[in-house]
Amino acid sequence: MLEALICPHTHQRLEYDAEAGELISRSANLAFPIRAGIPILLISEARSLD
């Protein structure tokens, strides 16, 4: 399923960070949260990796 998820900003693949419970977009430098098993792929909900 992870292969089907892409960054809504860059349209690149996302990496799963199990420890943080996030999907990481290296190209956009953003981390998208996963809540109750559901990825929240809204840019407004993402945190910056800086």
Side-chain angles (χ1 to χ4, degrees):
M1 182 67 169
L2 183 59
E3 294 84 28
L5 297 176
I6 61 169
C7 174
H9 182 65
T10 65
H11 305 289
Q12 301 295 316
R13 282 189 147 172
L14 296 169
E15 299 173 26
Y16 177 57
D17 182 346
E19 186 176 307
E22 298 176 320
L23 293 171
I24 307 297
S25 173
R26 300 275 176 214
S27 56
N29 208 28
L30 295 172
F32 296 92
I34 299 173
R35 297 187 189 127
I38 300 169
I40 310 299
L41 298 178
L42 299 172
I43 295 172
S44 62
E45 292 290 319
R47 69 173 182 85
S48 176
L49 293 176
D50 291 336

